[in-house]
């Protein structure tokens, strides 16, 4: 990559080079401006890599090959050129994330797990009970096999009127900590300790008692994640040094017999909610899971849950986030 990188650096202005050095040295800790590079003609370069792929491969992901493996951040203004100038584009390596690919289990495992869950858990919920829980507990914990009286986090009419597109609820096991956080901007950072930017700082939420497991998990949140509302859906980008685990109704295929939990590695992003797909689903239920809110995303920090883990439900995870969406 050395000849291609040197050829690109020669085309950058001094201020673009200085910005690139700051971004690389800070490893994207701060929200930075675009590093603009001329599109040029890659045929003269031996590797033939676009500028954004070249720098992402050089400074972040050596195994990166194609531009379709990358996704621009929503706040990047140089993804399609700036102010209509299509001759330049952003090549800031920390304005990109890699696309997360769902992990697939062997078919025999999924079939056996589905059968086991149906036999073991289905009698716990009758249709009448599911209906009562659905109407009375939107925004509470849906990962429990029983409808326990958890705090109601239902989005009220006033929430819809004040213009926020979602509210965030932070949980430690089965206890919600702090108040709901309303999100009005197109994107929001969720992180643990200051000063990792502006947004939802979990360190500001008081708790009477935290177990050792919760404190260890909170120590792994770090820069946390970036949630963004974009055309068609909601995206989550993992800014931390540890995986996050995500579930939502639109991550599971129609008629799925089990919960789909997507593992998102550091530096990766995933479309965690699809508005169009959700509009066709209506009420949503899973065997053993009870009623599921069709407009709710659940994200666990560092700890996974589901068929592949000892934790069957998200309420067994020490630190997790609930994203309550307003219907567009």
């Amino acid at each position: 990559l050395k000849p291609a990188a040197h050829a690109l650096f020669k085309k950058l202005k001094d201020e673009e080079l200085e910005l690139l050095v700051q971004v690389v040295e800070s490893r994207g800790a701060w929200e930075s401006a675009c590093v603009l590079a001329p599109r040029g003609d890659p045929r003269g370069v031996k590797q033939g890599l676009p500028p954004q792929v070249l720098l992402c491969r050089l400074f972040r992901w050596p195994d990166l090959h194609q531009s379709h493996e990358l996704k621009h951040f929503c706040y990047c203004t140089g993804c399609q050129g700036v102010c209509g100038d299509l001759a330049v584009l952003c090549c800031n390596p920390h304005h990109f994330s890699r696309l997360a690919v769902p992990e697939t289990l062997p078919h025999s495992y999924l079939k056996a797990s589905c059968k086991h869950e149906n036999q073991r858990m289905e009698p716990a919920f009758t249709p009448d009970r599911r209906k009562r829980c659905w109407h009375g507990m939107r925004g509470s914990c849906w990962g429990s096999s029983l409808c326990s009286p958890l705090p109601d986090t239902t989005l009220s009419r006033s929430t819809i009127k004040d213009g926020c597109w979602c509210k965030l609820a932070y949980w430690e096991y089965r206890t919600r900590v702090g108040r709901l956080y309303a999100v009005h901007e197109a994107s929001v950072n969720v992180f643990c300790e200051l000063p990792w930017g502006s947004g939802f700082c979990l360190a500001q939420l008081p708790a009477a008692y935290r177990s050792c497991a919760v404190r260890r998990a909170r120590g792994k949140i770090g820069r946390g994640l970036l949630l963004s509302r974009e055309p068609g859906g909601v995206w989550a980008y993992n800014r931390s040094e540890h995986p996050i685990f995500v579930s939502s109704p639109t991550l599971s295929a129609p008629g799925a017999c089990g919960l789909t939990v997507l593992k998102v590695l550091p530096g990766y992003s995933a479309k965690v909610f699809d508005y169009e797909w959700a509009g066709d689903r209506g009420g949503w239920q899973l065997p053993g899971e009870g009623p599921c809110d069709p407009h709710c995303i659940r994200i666990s920090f560092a700890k996974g849950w589901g068929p592949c883990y000892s934790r069957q439900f998200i309420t067994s995870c020490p630190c997790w986030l609930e994203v309550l969406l307003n219907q567009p």
Side-chain angles (χ1 to χ4, degrees):
L1 298 180
K2 188 175 181 179
H6 282 191
L8 175 60
F9 294 155
K10 290 180 180 179
K11 297 178 182 179
L12 297 180
K13 298 178 181 179
D14 289 345
E15 54 267 27
E16 305 293 340
L17 284 172
E18 291 176 2
L19 176 59
L20 180 61
V21 170
Q22 295 173 8
V23 169
V24 171
E25 289 182 344
S26 67
R27 298 173 60 191
W30 312 104
E31 190 171 308
S32 55
C34 293
V35 176
L36 299 178
R39 290 179 183 269
D41 187 355
R43 289 176 297 180
V45 181
K46 183 178 180 180
Q47 285 77 9
L49 296 176
Q52 70 274 24
V53 177
L54 175 63
L55 294 189
C56 285
R57 186 173 175 180
L58 184 64
F59 294 117
R60 299 195 68 184
W61 304 293
D63 60 338
L64 182 69
H65 297 290
Q66 302 293 333
S67 59
H68 63 74
E69 301 175 51
L70 297 172
K71 180 188 179 300
H72 276 95
F73 289 158
C74 60
Y75 55 78
C76 178
T77 60
C79 56
Q80 301 297 333
V82 180
C83 298
D85 185 1
L86 298 181
V88 297
L89 80 166
C90 177
C91 61
N92 184 335
H94 288 278
H95 274 197
F96 294 85
S97 63
R98 295 190 73 172
L99 293 174
V101 178
E103 295 179 345
T104 56
L105 296 175
H107 179 71
S108 58
Y109 179 89
L110 288 175
K111 187 175 181 180
S113 176
C114 177
K115 182 178 179 182
H116 174 71
E117 288 297 320
N118 280 327
Q119 292 177 345
R120 180 172 66 90
M121 302 294 291
E122 184 64 20
F125 275 90
T126 64
D128 290 340
R129 189 175 184 185
R130 283 195 179 102
K131 187 175 181 180
R132 290 196 302 270
C133 294
W134 169 261
H135 288 292
M137 294 187 65
R138 183 185 189 274
S140 296
C141 172
W142 302 105
S144 173
S145 60
L146 297 175
C147 279
S148 304
L150 297 177
D152 184 16
T153 54
T154 302
L155 293 180
S156 64
R157 291 290 181 183
S158 60
T159 298
I160 299 175
K161 290 180 180 180
D162 67 12
C164 74
W165 61 272
C166 77
K167 285 195 173 183
L168 307 179
Y170 170 66
W171 296 76
E172 293 176 355
Y173 291 116
R174 294 181 60 84
T175 302
R176 184 161 67 87
V177 180
R179 297 183 177 182
L180 295 178
Y181 182 90
V183 180
H184 299 270
E185 302 295 331
S187 63
V188 60
N189 288 305
V190 182
F191 51 93
C192 191
E193 300 289 344
L194 295 173
W196 294 123
S198 60
F200 187 27
C201 180
L202 303 181
Q204 304 299 309
L205 303 179
Y209 170 76
R210 286 192 171 103
S211 66
C212 293
V214 170
R215 291 197 294 269
R216 285 196 299 269
R218 284 172 62 90
K220 296 179 180 180
I221 296 175
R223 300 174 189 172
L225 59 96
L226 172 71
L227 281 173
S228 60
R229 181 185 60 173
E230 303 182 29
V234 178
W235 287 78
Y237 166 60
N238 185 2
R239 301 178 68 225
S240 74
E241 301 295 327
H242 298 272
I244 60 174
F245 299 82
V246 187
S247 74
S248 83
T250 65
L251 285 176
S252 297
C257 63
L259 179 69
T260 296
V261 179
L262 178 63
K263 182 179 181 180
V264 183
L265 296 174
Y268 281 67
S269 66
K271 188 176 184 179
V272 296
F273 193 85
D274 189 305
Y275 285 116
E276 183 178 358
W277 193 1
D280 298 332
R281 302 195 70 139
W284 194 63
Q285 299 177 2
L286 286 176
E289 288 286 326
C292 292
D293 189 340
H295 292 89
C296 178
I297 305 166
R298 297 175 295 177
I299 304 174
S300 174
F301 297 100
K303 301 294 183 180
W305 82 98
C308 297
Y309 299 89
S310 60
R311 296 167 292 274
Q312 293 298 301
F313 307 112
I314 196 170
T315 47
S316 300
C317 296
C319 302
W320 58 282
L321 190 71
E322 192 176 29
V323 184
L324 305 169
L325 300 171
N326 279 333
Q327 297 186 35

